[in-house]
Amino acid sequence: MADRPDVLFVILDSARRDRVSLYGHDRPTTPTLDALAEEATTFENAYTPTPWTLPSHCSMFTGKFPSEHGVTNGFADRRPALPASTETLAERLSERGYRTAGFSNNPWVGKLSGLDRGFEEFVEWDLEIGRESGAGIHSRRDRAYSRAHSLLAQAARQPVFLLKRPFFTDSLVTRAREWVETTADDPQPTFTFLNVMEAHSPYFPPDEAFEELGLTTPGPIEPRLLNTRLLAYVLGKADLAGDDRDRVLEYYDAALRYQDAKLAELLDTYRDLGLLEDTLVVICADHGKTLGDFPRDGEPSHYLRDLNTNVPMVVRTPGQRGGERVDDPVELRDLFGLIAEPGADVSSLAREHALTEDHIPHTGTTKEEVDRWRVISGRDHRLARSEDGEQYLFRRGESTVDERTIPSPERTEPAVLSALSEALDDRLADLTETDDHGDTDEAIGGSTEAQLRDLGYL
């Protein structure tokens, strides 16, 4: 790999591995990603550092686990942020002479958490132009949206769902394409980052996405009603089962299909400008999404299951021709080194085991007592252990939904349990936890808090 290739880093927020056609789903939800994989490396066992958005992004942007960078939870009565002393991926690349631009669909990913640091251009979830370099990528209309961003954010809350597509995902991808076109002839390499969250509820895919998958298109009322029931499930106020769950999964698949079409537009821009061949392309999810697959009050938490921790990931290095698949576990936090360090090799990502942390609850309106878990994952088994010493061994089945849970140490394989327990102890011994959490007592408030509530975070 060249020492300073252009970099395109796309995070498909909440994309489930088992719903991605690249990984065997029977609906063609991701034809663009499938085609890219023919000349890229597909990772079968890519593990997120933690199964929710904020700390997962912080880990990918720092190369540290949540307990090391300090961002573990998000509560409305305080503002979670990376410590100023912790270098971000964009800051590292900027120091190396990269031009940097970020476009985020998620309120957690941006100035709220400090993840906008190091970007010369950054567009926030509500179309606010948070950082601007003078590259000229923003139109007069874009600036009008930015000035009215708080009003747009309020208007685009869940009930007024018709605004979600034209004002947010489509607009951010268009801005990213304009950035790529504007900087195409610049002698400096570029780092372009996007968070797109079509796979994150609420779901309002366009009719053509349903049609392309052979699914029944929704009527004018169904999306709002279905998403209201889904939000109740996300907040733990109702179950999601039967016909509702089946229909939600159809919406989910259609959302992935629409998102994939936006990804195609972005990759085509690189291809048409002759840039794709020499660009490092990294596409992954930050975590999965439980949609009625496991009891929400079960033990251990559904967040610890493969469904939420084992995510899709595809990497295409500059000049790569043939596709390949890697079965060994990899950790998404190692993407920091792959992207930031000159000459880093994809093969260096492979590990014998992958570590995941989870601090539960993830979010809330006020600071709550936290239950901490760690999970060590190999090819065939996974061990989850709480801070109090409670343990569960998972034997991975044919699919995540059919995963069988075996309480340990009863009725389990002693050699497997011993090996994973030792591997987990070794990894924990290498962690250096921080006391600097970077957050302040400043409440989140305003339209951002309202949007986080509508997304089911608070």
Side-chain angles (χ1 to χ4, degrees):
M1 187 191 304
D3 282 351
R4 296 200 309 166
D6 287 341
V7 178
L8 173 62
F9 186 19
V10 182
I11 295 181
L12 312 176
D13 202 306
S14 307
R16 286 172 50 152
R17 182 182 179 277
D18 68 325
R19 310 303 294 191
V20 172
S21 50
L22 174 62
Y23 290 91
H25 185 36
D26 55 3
R27 292 184 184 131
T29 52
T30 56
T32 301
L33 197 61
D34 300 357
L36 179 67
E38 293 178 4
E39 52 183 25
T41 303
T42 301
F43 294 87
E44 297 286 353
N45 292 298
Y47 284 94
T48 181
T50 188
W52 79 281
T53 294
L54 173 60
S56 180
H57 278 74
C58 289
S59 290
M60 286 185 276
F61 268 70
T62 64
K64 300 176 183 291
F65 284 103
S67 60
E68 295 178 309
H69 58 61
V71 180
T72 57
N73 303 85
F75 297 94
D77 63 342
R78 63 186 180 89
R79 183 173 175 173
L82 283 169
S85 59
T86 301
E87 183 183 42
T88 69
L89 180 59
E91 287 176 322
R92 172 74 66 86
L93 291 173
S94 180
E95 290 174 359
R96 292 187 53 214
Y98 275 75
R99 301 203 65 184
T100 56
F103 308 88
S104 173
N105 264 165
N106 196 307
W108 290 118
V109 183
K111 63 182 177 182
L112 180 63
S113 57
L115 286 169
D116 63 334
R117 296 200 324 246
F119 286 104
E120 56 183 283
E121 294 274 358
F122 200 92
V123 179
E124 297 280 345
W125 69 276
D126 55 4
L127 302 186
E128 178 187 3
I129 302 172
R131 293 177 182 264
E132 187 173 6
S133 67
I137 69 171
H138 307 292
S139 68
R140 184 176 301 175
R141 185 178 65 173
D142 296 338
R143 296 184 184 285
Y145 289 163
S146 182
R147 288 192 296 271
H149 68 91
S150 61
L151 296 177
L152 266 178
Q154 290 286 1
R157 292 175 62 187
Q158 182 177 340
V160 194
F161 60 84
L162 292 178
L163 294 180
K164 183 176 182 184
R165 294 295 160 253
F167 278 107
F168 290 88
T169 300
D170 183 67
S171 179
L172 284 177
V173 171
T174 298
R175 303 274 188 100
R177 294 173 62 197
E178 290 170 350
W179 158 262
V180 174
E181 291 169 353
T182 300
T183 58
D185 296 326
D186 198 308
Q188 293 176 265
T190 59
F191 171 52
T192 305
F193 162 73
L194 289 90
N195 167 288
V196 288
M197 54 186 306
E198 296 305 313
H200 193 296
S201 57
Y203 302 118
F204 299 105
D207 287 352
E208 56 265 29
F210 286 91
E211 294 165 358
E212 289 165 353
L213 296 177
L215 300 173
T216 303
T217 57
I221 303 300
E222 185 193 41
R224 182 171 177 176
L225 295 177
L226 191 68
N227 278 291
T228 298
R229 291 194 288 269
L230 177 58
L231 182 60
Y233 164 76
V234 170
L235 295 175
K237 297 179 180 180
D239 292 330
L240 185 66
D243 293 342
D244 275 351
R245 179 173 184 268
D246 292 341
R247 188 56 170 159
V248 164
L249 288 172
E250 291 183 349
Y251 271 62
Y252 186 94
D253 288 352
L256 284 177
R257 178 73 181 213
Y258 169 77
Q259 180 174 267
D260 190 77
K262 295 288 112 181
L263 178 61
E265 292 177 6
L266 183 61
L267 292 176
D268 284 345
T269 298
Y270 275 87
R271 189 176 290 108
D272 293 345
L273 293 169
L275 300 175
L276 188 60
E277 178 68 15
D278 298 319
T279 297
L280 171 63
V281 179
V282 179
I283 302 173
C284 67
D286 55 342
H287 58 83
K289 183 77 171 177
T290 303
L291 294 170
D293 303 88
F294 299 103
R296 294 187 63 83
D297 57 354
E299 287 290 338
S301 167
H302 67 96
Y303 294 115
L304 303 175
R305 304 301 185 108
D306 253 5
L307 189 70
N308 286 307
T309 61
N310 187 3
V311 298
M313 183 170 114
V314 175
V315 176
R316 184 189 182 278
T317 57
Q320 186 171 353
R321 291 288 186 270
E324 62 176 323
R325 289 189 177 246
V326 173
D327 290 326
D328 292 326
V330 300
E331 296 176 348
L332 263 60
R333 73 177 186 102
D334 287 336
L335 290 174
F336 178 89
L338 178 73
I339 295 171
E341 300 302 327
D345 191 340
V346 170
S347 64
S348 66
L349 297 176
R351 293 175 171 270
E352 186 176 359
H353 300 99
L355 179 65
T356 297
E357 294 188 323
D358 198 16
H359 297 70
I360 304 169
H362 299 159
T363 58
T365 54
T366 58
K367 179 66 176 175
E368 301 177 35
E369 185 176 347
V370 172
D371 187 17
R372 184 164 66 175
W373 287 78
R374 266 70 177 256
V375 183
I376 195 78
S377 300
R379 283 196 184 187
D380 301 315
H381 294 83
R382 307 168 64 237
L383 176 66
R385 181 195 296 167
S386 74
E387 194 171 28
D388 296 331
E390 185 179 1
Q391 293 192 131
Y392 289 87
L393 183 72
F394 298 84
R395 183 186 298 121
R396 299 184 60 195
E398 291 297 319
S399 70
T400 304
V401 176
D402 296 330
E403 184 181 65
R404 289 165 291 172
T405 307
I406 310 169
S408 62
E410 297 86 1
R411 298 188 296 107
T412 191
E413 303 169 51
V416 172
L417 177 61
S418 177
L420 285 175
S421 184
E422 182 178 352
L424 179 56
D425 289 340
D426 289 344
R427 292 300 301 277
L428 296 183
D430 291 336
L431 290 181
T432 303
E433 298 191 22
T434 183
D435 294 325
D436 184 1
H437 293 275
D439 52 274
T440 70
D441 291 331
E442 176 186 354
I444 296 173
S447 61
T448 299
E449 182 181 351
Q451 182 69 358
L452 290 172
R453 288 180 183 276
D454 285 335
L455 292 172
Y457 285 116
L458 301 176

